[in-house]
Amino acid sequence: AQSVTQLDSQVPVFEEAPVELRCNYSSSVSVYLFWYVQYPNQGLQLLLKYLSGSTLVKGINGFEAEFNKSQTSFHLRKPSVHISDTAEYFCAVSPRDDKIIFGKGTRLHILP
Amino acid sequence: ETGVTQSPTHLIKTRGQQVTLRCSSQSGHNTVSWYQQALGQGPQFIFQYYREEENGRGNFPPRFSGLQFPNYSSELNVNALELDDSALYLCASEPGQGHHTGELFFGEGSRLTVL
């Protein structure tokens, strides 16, 4: 069975500072990895995805994530956050051609 | 190109009642999935529909059922509502031809409160 652990339920960070949101997964098979973002009162939106190939994946809004197979991690990073990045971020894993499993989410608070 | 739309946006029901939630998939997407997102949790997979047939189901009881129509729109029905069914119900479509690609396009959800 697969599972996703997001290590921080909330992350406060000052505007224009860098941020890292941590995600670890467990799986006995090869998986696809995703980060989704949920802005207040909205549905989820795909931020970036890792299917294969380069372990550094770039997404929308200046976010990037690095797949680390040995540490089973897929941490999300942004070098400089903006107030508009305030949202909940979900890490997700999907075994090839199987349902996607979401983590519990990390709420990103941007401080002025 | 229209996105995924869901209705109603909010509704309140009482225990034991039945509810139907509706979803129109994104243009060109023939695969629809439903998710339950309880407060403070990530979305949990309920089931997926492709070509009007259920194509995979998560750990939800049979009182959660669905339909997909020829135009790819979908319904989620929940019978005998329980207090724990209170959640945001998300519909997601994908052009996956019945496969799970993980690249989901979500609607804004229907928030169900069960009293």
Side-chain angles (χ1 to χ4, degrees):
Chain A
Q2 290 72 38
S3 66
V4 178
T5 302
Q6 292 186 244
L7 299 163
D8 306 295
S9 59
Q10 296 189 60
V11 172
V13 63
F14 286 103
E15 197 169 10
E16 298 183 8
V19 69
E20 178 179 83
L21 305 183
R22 298 181 292 169
C23 172
N24 286 89
Y25 70 94
S26 67
S27 177
S28 57
V29 299
S30 296
V31 295
Y32 299 145
L33 295 160
F34 307 85
W35 277 97
Y36 279 82
V37 59
Q38 187 175 31
Y39 297 105
N41 300 314
Q42 294 188 25
L44 281 74
Q45 178 183 359
L46 181 64
L47 204 53
L48 50 78
K49 61 183 184 282
Y50 172 79
L51 303 181
S52 64
S54 172
T55 57
L56 183 64
V57 179
K58 293 190 183 298
I60 61 172
N61 301 339
F63 284 92
E64 63 181 33
E66 186 156 20
F67 169 54
N68 187 318
K69 189 174 182 179
S70 63
Q71 297 186 4
T72 60
S73 68
F74 191 55
H75 300 333
L76 181 70
R77 302 185 183 99
K78 186 170 182 177
S80 175
V81 296
H82 188 265
I83 194 76
S84 59
D85 293 322
T86 298
E88 186 132 25
Y89 292 80
F90 293 93
C91 182
V93 61
S94 170
R96 312 263 164 117
D97 202 19
D98 200 353
K99 64 181 182 293
I100 190 167
I101 298 164
F102 288 89
K104 291 187 176 182
T106 297
R107 190 170 295 276
L108 179 61
H109 293 281
I110 309 299
L111 307 171
Chain B
E1 181 180 272
T2 56
V4 177
T5 58
Q6 293 186 243
S7 64
T9 55
H10 296 81
L11 69 166
I12 300 172
K13 293 285 187 177
T14 57
R15 274 185 304 173
Q17 284 189 312
Q18 179 265 344
V19 68
T20 297
L21 307 178
R22 295 177 176 84
C23 170
S24 293
S25 63
Q26 181 156 323
S27 177
H29 290 185
N30 56 19
T31 303
V32 174
S33 300
W34 286 90
Y35 290 80
Q36 181 195 65
Q37 186 179 14
L39 200 61
Q41 302 293 317
Q44 299 286 318
F45 175 72
I46 302 175
F47 42 55
Q48 183 192 69
Y49 275 83
Y50 171 63
R51 288 187 175 179
E52 304 174 51
E53 297 285 335
E54 189 179 289
N55 184 42
R57 188 179 184 92
N59 190 26
F60 280 82
R63 60 190 184 84
F64 285 77
S65 63
L67 285 172
Q68 187 181 31
F69 300 99
N71 66 354
Y72 308 138
S73 66
S74 178
E75 286 182 356
L76 165 65
N77 299 290
V78 188
N79 294 322
L81 284 167
E82 301 176 359
L83 295 180
D84 285 348
D85 295 333
S86 295
L88 181 68
Y89 288 85
L90 295 164
C91 174
S93 71
E94 58 188 307
Q97 302 295 328
H99 296 286
H100 295 269
T101 66
E103 299 184 50
L104 303 170
F105 294 77
F106 283 88
E108 295 191 354
S110 294
R111 186 165 296 283
L112 172 64
T113 302
V114 182
L115 302 177

